[in-house]
Every structure is written in C-alpha cells, then in structure tokens.
Amino acid sequence: MDHTGRGWNGEDLDLVAYLGRISYEGDLAPTVRTLRALQWAHAEAIPFENLEAALGHPVPLDLGTLQDKMVRGERGGYCYEHTLLFAAVLERLGFGVTGLAARVRMGSDKLRAATHALLLVEVPGDEGWWICDVGFGEGVTEPIELVHGAESARNGRRFRLERLTAQEWVLRSARGVPADDDWLDLHAFTLDPHYSADYVVINHYISTHPNSPFVGRPVARRPDAEVLYGLTGTALTARRADGTVEERLLEPAEVPKALDEVFGIRLGPADTAALIARLT
C-alpha cells in the first residue's frame, strides 16, 4: 500500500479480473501500442455513468470499491472512478502516471472550476508523454500524445490537443464531416499534478452539490465502433461520426431497460424503483 498518497495502488489491483472485464488478451508491455489497446478496450467495456450521484448515493473512490463496482459488477462510473481505476492499471503495468485536472468548456468561454480528472502517462523507452482521458464520456477512446496539434481519429471521431499558453492545453473535438475548421473545446487543463486526495475533495462537490450536472438526473455514455450512445435524463441519443444525432425520449419506466440493453448497466430492484421515481 502506498502510504504517501502519491501513488495509484496498482499493487492492490486484481489485474486478471480487470483484463477479463474489458475482454483484453493482448500484450501487457508498457508501450504506446499497449496503451492504445487498453484505452479502447476500457472505453468500450466500462460505460460512463453517474447513477450513484443521481440517486443520492455516496461515490467512494477507494480501489476496492471501484473494483467491486466497475470490474466485478455490471456498472460503470464517472471521471474520478474511471481515472483512478485506469491509473492503478497503468501503474501496475509499469507506465508513469500523473493525475491532472481540467476545466470543462463544452464550447463555452465561461470559467469553471477544475472538476474533471484525466491522466498524463509516460511511456518508458522514450515513447513520450500521452494524455489518457478515459472518464470524459465523449468518446475519447485513444491516448493523444502531448504535442501541440496531435490528433486522435479512431472510427471517425477526431480529437485534437492544442497548447494555448506556456501552462494551458485544450482538448478539442471535431463537429461533423468535414471538420477541418469546426472544432468544439471540450476542456482545458494544465500539467500541475493532482493526487487521489485531490480527487476525493472535488468528487464530494460533484457528487453532492445541487448545482452539479451529475446530481438529480442520470447520465450515461458508451462508444462502439460507429456510434456514441448517450442518455441524459430520459433522452436517449445515438451520435455518429458524421455529426448526425438520433434522439428518442423514453418514458421513465423505460430508462432502466435502456441502461441495461444499450449501456450494459444493470441496477438492482431498489435502485431501479428509485430511478424511475426520480424521473417521474
């Protein structure tokens, strides 16, 4: 156990169970190729969701709870949960891992608090530094090298890193096809290190404050090879790489079934009833 509070408890990770959860049987050497493969498998297998906060439950961030929920259970999590779990995986495999925090923009110029968690990953052997953003929920399924103008373009989804100042970077996503000059700012971050203790404090606000976007309504996201599926409240969406969006409004009683069939999220009877009541 890391008693300094600066590590990610990779030694306590059940690596076999995690690899089974994401259906990964590839190489585990700490290389860029492994990093890419792991992030895609993680994103496809473990959905983004905020149901604990939406239902008024605590959101613990200790690795044991994260594994019980996201690895052994049929559940996902939001940015702090994904980020801390993936950090433990990467640390266990020999990558260098630094936690970061970002200010969400989603196209707005409004200054928001730094409430999003992501990772800066050092790949051994002079393979560089990479941004891994497994918990944003917008289909960022590949690491992006920390280089001005670097892009990821898997399955038609394009993301770009740009350096704004000596200290600040921004992650952008393309909106539709063609998208050479049509980019949406997702979030901005600096390289100041953040640790598990920092995420615990920010997580408390995000999971409990009435002004948090994750309190009071369910949010879920899951990418596949062609579509980014989303649920916000009772609105179920399918967003394609060309920018087209299909949307269907569900009845409250239909939401738990959609969570199961579309996102692979299975709730127990008590939480199912509570979610339907919250949406009614």
Side-chain angles (χ1 to χ4, degrees), residues 35-50:
L35 188 63
R36 284 198 176 102
L38 281 173
Q39 183 163 335
W40 169 250
H42 180 109
E44 192 175 40
I46 307 179
F48 177 97
E49 53 113 326
N50 73 324

Side-chain angles (χ1 to χ4, degrees), residues 50-59 207-208 214-217 271 274 278:
N50 73 324
L51 294 172
E52 302 299 341
L55 293 172
H57 299 329
V59 185
S207 64
T208 63
F214 295 129
V215 171
R217 65 175 182 175
D271 282 343
R278 180 67 60 95

